[in-house]
Amino acid sequence: MSTAKALKKVVAAVILDLDGTLIHTDGILGDVLKALLLKYGKQWDGREAQKIVGKTPLEEATIVVEDYELPCSTDEFVTQITPLLYDQFCNIKALPGANRLIKHLSDHNVPLALASNSPRAYVESKISYQQGWKESFSVIIAGDEVRAGKPSPDIFLEAAKRLGIEPSRCLVIEDSLPGVTGGKAAGMEVVAVPSIPKQTHLYIAADEVISSLLDLQPELWGIPPFDDWIDGTLPLETWHIGGPVVKGFGRGSKVLGIPTANLSTKGYSALLSEHPSGVYFGWARLSTQGVYKMVMSIGWNPYFNNTEKTIEPWLLHEFDGDFYGEELRLVIVGYIRPEANFTSLESLIAKIHEDRRIAERALDIPLYLKYKDDPYLKGSSL
Ligand code: ADP
Ligand code: RBF
Ligand code: MG
């Protein structure tokens, strides 16, 4: 990113949280809870997500059993849910930026610990599906290996002890509030990466709040910077999304002079929840018209305070008219910046035009240009 920030503090080690920080556990947890609650004739509505993030499994079970007034004990609930969870651990995805961060820290020999509220056996199982992770952590410490889980500082203090590094020289990276609280109570520096939307204001205790691991600047903590940014863009493992163009608020062209061809959010809520808010770019194919450069935002558009996470692709081409109902396919190849709020419409518009220039230029680089031929954009049966 262009804005150079001042060094915050030099740290000697990094302690990472697992669920919600490195892996997208919420995806499977929601599915498992939904299936289990159905057996009790209850409907999981996702509202507990806020309450259970960062909690130990026993605490999670207590909350669910109470909230849904289940006719079973917390222990019985844990016994029932445990095998269902194990079955799904292989389906948990690494969050964007997690592999990149772990590789960067181990390449630079930064002592690295994993500190999770989850029990040891869960942690071992979960990370066994993530290639190269186990070997990268010199310390792994789980919730059942300390007296009290987060928000107690115990787990972080124990991690520092085993790393042989003073707590004050450790940097904790955490998505949850209990984790941030625990890290600060341990006297450590804490970067929060909230996994639950629109809650950043609750993270005042953190030393820095970022919107995803893609935005971490290790150099602020005396760690070598990432060197994979290219002309203001970060190459990503590509991903695809597509569907018919639907009507939105009509705000893009009317208010901003920037039309965005919205896709229906139905059917891709999982994809949206695993990709952080922010500005991305890539290639777009309109079934009848061709392939175009594209820059888009994913998120809640804080400037307009939307209640739904949407995907807003701006095709970098002048069209004669609307193309509602047409099939649109996107290949996302890179990342530009986190979603931001702006004090004026003019500054939002100026920023989006800057994003456009960055994307337009980058997409001519062979690294990104090659995806114009991605098979997903071909084929006639759109
Ligand atoms: P909505 O809120 O319905 O998405 P917008 O004002 O954002 O309305 O306009 C988006 C619509 O404009 C698209 O659905 C598409 O039909 C049309 N459109 C025309 N040119 C473009 C473009 N270059 N990129 C995206 N959409 C475009
Ligand atoms: N909205 C925001 O509130 N903050 C942003 O940082 C932001 N960045 C955007 C970047 C691009 C490339 C595009 C196309 C849109 C962006 N918008 C952002 C979303 C814009 O507010 C949205 O397209 C309108 O709300 C239209 O519905
Ligand atoms: Mg739009």
Side-chain angles (χ1 to χ4, degrees):
M1 264 164 296
S2 51
T3 39
K5 288 200 211 142
L7 178 76
K8 288 184 180 275
K9 178 164 182 177
V10 175
V11 300
V14 174
I15 304 176
L16 297 172
D17 168 56
L18 182 62
D19 300 293
T21 300
L22 294 176
I23 58 176
H24 188 57
T25 320
D26 283 10
I28 68 133
L29 189 60
D31 289 348
V32 167
L33 281 169
K34 198 169 165 182
L36 186 52
L37 284 170
L38 213 58
K39 289 194 182 154
Y40 286 99
K42 309 271 175 170
Q43 191 114 38
W44 162 254
D45 56 15
R47 79 195 129 98
E48 272 68 30
Q50 301 241 16
K51 291 202 221 163
I52 63 182
V53 60
K55 299 271 165 47
T56 65
L58 199 63
E59 290 170 336
E60 286 173 8
T62 309
I63 291 168
V64 175
V65 168
E66 266 179 28
D67 277 15
Y68 286 87
E69 301 174 333
L70 300 184
C72 67
S73 71
T74 303
D75 285 340
E76 280 163 2
F77 191 78
V78 171
T79 308
Q80 287 170 31
I81 201 168
T82 300
L84 302 177
L85 289 172
Y86 270 100
D87 278 349
Q88 292 302 317
F89 287 161
C90 60
N91 295 323
I92 305 180
K93 292 191 183 149
L95 282 163
N99 277 299
R100 169 181 181 248
L101 174 62
I102 291 171
K103 183 165 187 311
H104 181 76
L105 296 174
S106 40
D107 284 354
H108 291 278
N109 299 312
V110 177
L112 188 57
L114 185 69
S116 170
N117 249 5
S118 205
R120 182 78 190 194
Y122 279 35
V123 173
E124 292 282 346
S125 175
K126 286 174 196 168
I127 66 172
S128 72
Y129 298 105
Q130 308 294 335
Q131 226 187 334
W133 285 19
K134 195 174 163 69
E135 309 82 86
S136 304
F137 297 108
S138 38
V139 168
I140 295 177
I141 174 148
D144 54 353
E145 297 174 313
V146 286
R147 204 167 40 82
K150 306 166 191 177
S152 154
D154 290 9
I155 198 161
F156 296 110
L157 293 172
E158 185 61 28
K161 196 166 147 195
R162 294 197 201 170
L163 286 167
I165 289 169
E166 282 291 304
S168 65
R169 301 181 65 221
C170 292
L171 173 67
V172 171
I173 304 181
E174 260 290 350
D175 73 298
S176 77
L177 226 36
V180 171
T181 308
K184 287 317 292 177
M188 298 179 177
E189 298 298 304
V190 179
V191 172
V193 197
S195 55
I196 289 178
K198 297 190 168 197
Q199 299 294 315
T200 44
H201 59 285
L202 298 176
Y203 288 74
I204 31 171
D207 298 284
E208 197 191 11
V209 182
I210 57 178
S211 59
S212 85
L213 292 179
L214 302 176
D215 300 316
L216 185 75
Q217 294 177 274
E219 62 273 26
L220 302 186
W221 308 96
I223 298 168
F226 284 111
D227 56 8
D228 49 2
W229 284 85
I230 302 166
D231 297 340
T233 69
L234 179 64
L236 295 178
E237 250 179 63
T238 62
W239 54 282
H240 304 155
I241 193 164
V245 174
V246 299
K247 283 234 174 212
F249 302 108
R251 202 168 53 200
S253 35
K254 282 201 201 78
V255 183
L256 303 169
I258 297 167
T260 52
N262 299 55
L263 294 168
S264 158
T265 50
K266 276 201 208 80
Y268 65 86
S269 57
L271 250 189
L272 274 188
S273 80
E274 73 189 56
H275 288 284
S277 304
V279 178
Y280 297 80
F281 67 101
W283 296 97
R285 153 121 193 227
L286 266 177
S287 48
T288 60
Q289 316 208 35
V291 178
Y292 305 96
K293 291 177 174 176
M294 177 278 301
V295 66
M296 68 185 210
S297 90
I298 294 183
W300 285 267
N301 306 325
Y303 187 83
F304 295 102
N305 201 17
N306 287 5
T307 51
E308 206 191 5
K309 195 177 188 183
T310 60
I311 180 162
E312 311 256 350
W314 181 23
L315 277 54
L316 304 179
H317 179 81
E318 286 285 334
F319 292 91
D320 290 337
D322 289 343
F323 40 81
Y324 290 112
E326 258 203 66
E327 231 14 83
L328 174 65
R329 288 194 175 195
L330 308 175
V331 171
I332 291 87
V333 303
Y335 173 76
I336 298 177
R337 65 171 174 92
E339 190 175 46
N341 204 342
F342 294 86
T343 47
S344 72
L345 199 57
E346 293 68 43
S347 54
L348 170 62
I349 294 170
K351 192 67 180 175
I352 300 176
H353 281 278
E354 184 186 317
D355 297 332
R356 187 206 64 199
R357 286 190 293 274
I358 292 171
E360 258 178 342
R361 216 179 309 128
L363 286 163
D364 288 329
I365 305 172
L367 169 72
Y368 296 125
L369 182 61
K370 66 178 186 227
Y371 294 108
K372 195 177 178 184
D373 296 322
D374 193 292
Y376 182 70
L377 302 176
K378 301 231 159 99
S380 48
S381 60
L382 284 173

